[in-house]
Amino acid sequence: MTRRLSITLRLTLLFGATSVIVLLALGYFITETVEHHFEEQDLDILVGKIELARHALSGVTSHAGLDGLSRQLSDALVGHSGLSMTVLGPGGHILFATPNAIFPPALLSLTGTAEHVSTGLVVWNQGEHMFRGLAAVMPIALADVSPVTVAVATDISHHAELLGTFSTTLWWVMGLAALLSAVLGWVATRFGLMPLRDIARISRETSIDRLNDRIQLNSIPIELKETATEFNDMLARLEDSFRRLTDFASDIAHELRTPISNLMTQTHVTLAHARTIDDYREVLFSNVEELDRLARMVSDMLFLAKADHGLIIPLLETVNLARELTELIEFYGITAHERDVTLQLSGAGIVMGDRAMLRRAMGNVLSNAIRHSQPGGIVRVIIDGHDEVSVRVENSGAEIAPEQLPRVFDRFYRADPSRHPASEGAGLGLAISQSIIHAHDGKIQASSSNGLTRFTIQFSGGVN
């Protein structure tokens, strides 16, 4: 199986390759620029000497003047040890030549009757020396003498040696620069990918006992900030879910322990002595009540488990809220009467939903309001069917503390457990109501102030 390269190695190779390409291009540009500078410098010198020879030839008006041409050109070249010049007359006759002046035939092959300068410099080697030369054909003032060829050359050996040394040094420096760029690229990549290693470390160390670790967003680059934020949110959801699951399991154990303990204690006490049939019947009736409570609790927990996995699918039908709530008020009328609580209903509204499920949700809220209403109080049920259909259930009584409001829909949660005996329920009613309303794409909220507690159910849409 082919081994995959790490991101660090890939970026390091990319940095190195990019640096090599850039440095090669830069080195080539610098070398060509220096060489071109030397060439321009030599061309200026050679053109100057060509002009000097032209000036000298323009002053030759007789054959006797040709004899003085050599002395004039020799004097002009004094101090220029690296320069060579030759002047060729008709038939290749040498009119003037510096010592050791050897020019290649390619440079001396210019012909013509008018002034003509070669189009480019010619470079050649002569022994251990390198020369760059220029030639020109120019007329002479003597009418019976054809134009002469003037060739000028300069020794560029020192230029070539300097350029060679410069090129070698330059390529060494650039090679080291490319290597240094690759090393620095590796360091920068390792440092830049540190947030990814932090994410990997936190993922590796995440366990049931360590769900509170988070990635520090202030040190995360902007490209990874969204990923880190989503990762932190995921950890927060896991932590919250595990906390809720732990609390749920603890609450289940606590809630089931009481009825099971009652059943076991009552059964052991009954079996300890012989009883009459009526005594056994009374114990069985008592056990039935506890078993019925256990059955309801198990049924409610199964319902909530389905809700958590999105398995509650309402059957949509037209639901008349006023009619359903009227029947619920009649059903809970006896309980309200026993607690000296008055029930009032106002408003009307129609929604699309599962009638049985909505009836259960609103019944749980209404039952909760009756239980927590003070004697002589009023429970008001208000239906608002205008823009968005909503149901408000208000009761007077003890307020719910602000820090407890966010948890009233938690399973098994009771704001004041000491005030609610086990017979009043397991604390799952509001959690079930919330799951049902959410399954209908609605919202349910609680508020409590000024001696009034209000639960508001808001549906996503109504039927006009």
Side-chain angles (χ1 to χ4, degrees):
M1 184 174 61
T2 304
R3 183 180 179 183
R4 295 182 179 180
L5 299 179
S6 65
I7 295 179
T8 302
L9 182 57
R10 291 181 183 180
L11 291 179
T12 301
L13 293 176
L14 181 61
F15 278 129
T18 303
S19 300
V20 169
I21 293 173
V22 172
L23 291 174
L24 284 176
L26 182 62
Y28 176 79
F29 174 76
I30 293 175
T31 304
E32 289 296 315
T33 300
V34 173
E35 187 173 359
H36 181 70
H37 169 73
F38 286 151
E39 186 175 335
E40 291 289 332
Q41 190 179 45
D42 294 340
L43 181 61
D44 289 340
I45 294 174
L46 296 176
V47 170
K49 298 311 175 184
I50 291 289
E51 292 298 326
L52 187 146
R54 178 184 290 108
H55 177 73
L57 290 172
S58 65
V60 178
T61 57
S62 63
H63 288 279
L66 289 175
D67 296 334
L69 179 64
S70 297
R71 185 177 63 255
Q72 185 177 358
L73 292 177
S74 296
D75 293 341
L77 294 177
V78 172
H80 298 279
S81 58
L83 282 173
S84 300
M85 178 182 291
T86 185
V87 179
L88 300 180
H93 176 64
I94 299 176
L95 301 179
F96 170 77
T98 57
N100 302 323
I102 302 176
F103 293 87
L107 186 64
L108 302 176
S109 61
L110 295 177
T111 59
T113 58
E115 183 174 354
H116 177 62
V117 181
S118 61
T119 57
L121 297 173
V122 177
V123 178
W124 71 93
N125 291 316
Q126 181 179 328
E128 297 180 355
H129 296 274
M130 180 180 292
F131 292 89
R132 180 178 284 124
L134 184 68
V137 175
M138 56 187 65
I140 195 169
L142 294 175
D144 59 342
V145 178
S146 300
V148 298
T149 300
V150 179
V152 184
T154 181
D155 190 344
I156 61 172
S157 299
H158 61 290
H159 287 175
E161 183 179 356
L162 176 62
L163 189 61
T165 304
F166 175 77
S167 298
T168 302
T169 304
L170 180 64
W171 294 121
W172 270 107
V173 170
M174 289 191 172
L176 294 176
L179 180 60
L180 181 62
S181 297
V183 173
L184 293 178
W186 181 84
V187 174
T189 302
R190 292 281 296 178
F191 180 78
L193 294 179
M194 190 176 297
L196 290 179
R197 290 195 295 276
D198 289 340
I199 295 176
R201 177 185 57 80
I202 293 177
S203 300
R204 184 172 56 253
E205 295 177 354
T206 297
S207 62
I208 294 177
D209 299 326
R210 296 189 60 176
L211 288 174
N212 58 344
D213 287 347
R214 298 293 184 272
I215 300 172
Q216 299 300 321
L217 298 180
N218 55 355
S219 61
I220 292 292
I222 190 171
E223 293 84 358
L224 296 176
K225 192 168 186 179
E226 183 177 357
T227 301
T229 301
E230 294 295 332
F231 187 80
N232 284 345
D233 292 343
M234 179 193 69
L235 289 178
R237 290 193 299 270
L238 288 175
E239 183 180 14
D240 181 67
S241 297
F242 184 76
R243 179 188 61 79
R244 291 169 63 89
L245 182 62
T246 303
D247 293 344
F248 187 48
S250 177
D251 291 336
I252 288 177
H254 178 75
E255 294 295 333
L256 293 180
R257 181 178 60 184
T258 300
I260 292 175
S261 177
N262 291 339
L263 287 171
M264 292 181 63
T265 300
Q266 194 165 3
T267 302
H268 283 304
V269 170
T270 303
L271 294 175
H273 303 283
R275 308 288 179 176
T276 64
I277 295 178
D278 291 337
D279 291 336
Y280 285 122
R281 183 180 291 111
E282 184 179 351
V283 171
L284 290 177
F285 275 126
S286 178
N287 288 351
V288 166
E289 292 180 359
E290 292 294 340
L291 291 172
D292 183 62
R293 181 167 175 260
L294 285 174
R296 289 198 307 269
M297 188 184 303
V298 172
S299 176
D300 290 343
M301 288 189 294
L302 289 175
F303 182 89
L304 291 172
K306 291 181 179 180
D308 288 343
H309 292 83
L311 300 179
I312 298 178
I313 303 176
L315 299 176
L316 297 182
E317 56 183 313
T318 302
V319 179
N320 188 321
L321 295 177
R323 183 174 61 193
E324 299 300 328
L325 285 167
T326 299
E327 294 178 0
L328 285 172
I329 288 176
E330 292 178 356
F331 178 79
Y332 288 105
I334 298 177
T335 303
H337 179 72
E338 292 176 351
R339 293 177 177 268
D340 192 20
V341 175
T342 302
L343 303 180
Q344 293 181 356
L345 173 65
S346 63
I350 297 176
V351 297
M352 295 297 296
D354 190 304
R355 188 181 67 84
M357 292 175 62
L358 291 178
R359 185 184 179 95
R360 183 179 185 183
M362 294 185 295
N364 289 340
V365 176
L366 182 59
S367 174
N368 181 78
I370 294 172
R371 287 200 311 270
H372 293 85
S373 183
Q374 61 186 5
I378 300 175
V379 174
R380 294 183 177 87
V381 182
I382 305 168
I383 305 173
D384 186 353
H386 291 88
D387 297 333
E388 290 186 349
V389 180
S390 64
V391 176
R392 297 197 307 274
V393 180
E394 302 174 349
N395 69 276
S396 57
E399 298 178 11
I400 302 175
E403 64 273 11
Q404 294 175 340
L405 275 175
R407 298 198 60 193
V408 294
F409 295 104
D410 289 353
R411 301 163 190 181
F412 299 111
Y413 182 76
R414 297 185 180 93
D416 186 2
S418 63
R419 297 177 54 189
H420 307 292
S423 61
E424 289 195 353
L428 296 174
L430 292 180
I432 291 175
S433 296
Q434 185 185 54
S435 298
I436 292 174
I437 298 303
H438 285 174
H440 285 78
D441 296 326
K443 295 185 298 183
I444 181 170
Q445 297 174 323
S447 61
S448 185
S449 61
N450 300 323
L452 189 69
T453 300
R454 176 186 296 112
F455 285 84
T456 303
I457 300 174
Q458 192 168 11
F459 296 93
S460 59
V463 178
N464 297 324

